[in-house]
Amino acid sequence: MTVADGVDLFCTDSGDSAGAGARPVVLVHGWLCDSDDWIHLIPLLTPHTRVITVDLRGHGRSTIAPSGYGPAVFADDVATVMRALGVSNAVVAGHSAGAEVGVLVGDRHPDLVAGLVAIDPVYALPPERRAGFEARAKKLSEPGAAALAAAHFALIEGPHTPAYLREWHQRRPFAIAPHVMVETSRAFALGPDSIRLRPGADVVLLRRRVPVFAVYRDAAQAALDQALSPHPASEIHTWPDAGHWLHQEDPVRFHRELCRWLARLDR
């Protein structure tokens, strides 16, 4: 599907459009990944609801554009796909940086979003982490960027992450264009529309007027998100022994908890 600047985005649209209270689910992958991240969850969701996935620009099967890799651009791309497919009243679910995109879809296009799901999101981090993000963006502009990203992925696995997932995650950065790595890293952490760091992120997160379902590895970040989620139907959970891709490690558990929350919204 063609969006702004002639960029073609790969997307899929499947499942039961009449299920789950006719509330579609839009799935947004994280940094240096693609919509294949959701293959563990899609077969569990599609018997009951309509499921849309997108490969963000520069990722997977979508166009590798020369520029346009900030979170707001990604959010507008997702919104363009949703409008083209006639999708509204949707739950937008994002993993990691994809959760930042999801928040901005809701913030910039509130008519499309009825709820947000965040899987180990990386928004609203302590401001003292800025220097680390600046250093990483600089290193990613040098030779060996894919290996650096792979090493980062290795550090955020959990004690129970299966070996095949570890291997898959560490191979994926090598399929990404170098300039995409650099620009996404810099824009998501340091750009003008970033919600990566506090206190700037707090303003955007407090504007969320829809229910939020989030699952974290870190209890402190979960507590912060709870404080920044004003809707009474929001639920923020902690899975302390999980890895960063917790929805892949235990898709059955994640699907069960997500469906319970979606049913709560219907009620």
Side-chain angles (χ1 to χ4, degrees):
M1 180 179 300
T2 302
V3 293
D5 306 322
V7 172
D8 289 325
L9 298 184
F10 174 83
C11 59
T12 64
D13 182 0
S14 56
D16 181 1
S17 61
R23 185 181 288 110
V25 176
V26 180
L27 302 174
V28 185
H29 63 81
W31 186 53
L32 309 187
C33 298
D34 57 47
S35 59
D36 287 351
D37 266 34
W38 305 105
I39 59 174
H40 309 77
L41 193 60
I42 290 171
L44 301 175
L45 287 170
T46 49
H48 312 291
T49 191
R50 184 181 181 189
V51 178
I52 292 90
T53 73
V54 183
D55 284 359
L56 299 173
R57 61 171 66 200
H59 296 72
R61 288 139 289 200
S62 292
T63 298
I64 303 173
S67 60
Y69 290 101
V73 174
F74 283 148
D76 291 347
D77 283 350
V78 172
T80 298
V81 170
M82 293 172 68
R83 293 188 196 282
L85 294 175
V87 174
S88 60
N89 191 39
V91 170
V92 179
H95 169 246
S96 190
E100 296 170 89
V101 175
V103 168
L104 292 176
V105 174
D107 192 60
R108 297 167 68 85
H109 307 275
D111 58 308
L112 299 178
V113 179
L116 294 167
V117 175
I119 303 169
D120 207 30
V122 286
Y123 47 61
L125 297 179
E128 53 267 25
R129 292 190 58 178
R130 181 180 181 88
F133 286 120
E134 289 174 340
R136 187 168 75 182
K138 182 178 183 300
K139 288 181 180 178
L140 287 171
S141 66
E142 301 169 353
L148 178 66
H152 168 69
F153 283 0
L155 291 174
I156 55 178
E157 303 286 12
H160 308 298
T161 304
Y164 73 90
L165 284 180
R166 292 177 184 272
E167 185 69 24
W168 184 38
H169 297 156
Q170 292 175 53
R171 285 173 173 263
R172 301 181 83 189
F174 293 91
I176 301 293
H179 77 282
V180 175
M181 279 193 229
V182 176
E183 293 191 31
T184 50
S185 177
R186 182 176 292 117
F188 270 75
L190 309 168
D193 48 359
S194 169
I195 57 170
R196 182 67 53 88
L197 300 172
R198 303 188 73 193
D202 295 17
V203 177
V204 179
L205 295 175
L206 284 168
R207 286 203 298 258
R208 294 177 294 180
R209 291 295 180 264
V210 297
V212 177
F213 177 85
V215 184
Y216 282 85
R217 296 176 297 150
D218 182 79
Q221 283 301 117
L224 174 62
D225 202 354
Q226 184 73 67
L228 296 173
S229 299
H231 197 285
S234 293
E235 291 187 13
I236 314 297
H237 300 273
T238 306
W239 292 7
D241 293 330
H244 185 52
W245 284 266
L246 57 89
H247 58 303
Q248 296 174 2
E249 290 186 16
D250 197 343
V252 173
R253 178 187 179 189
F254 181 80
H255 174 256
R256 181 175 64 245
E257 292 300 308
L258 175 62
C259 286
R260 178 192 53 75
W261 179 73
L262 290 173
R264 180 185 173 196
L265 296 191
D266 289 339
R267 291 194 298 271

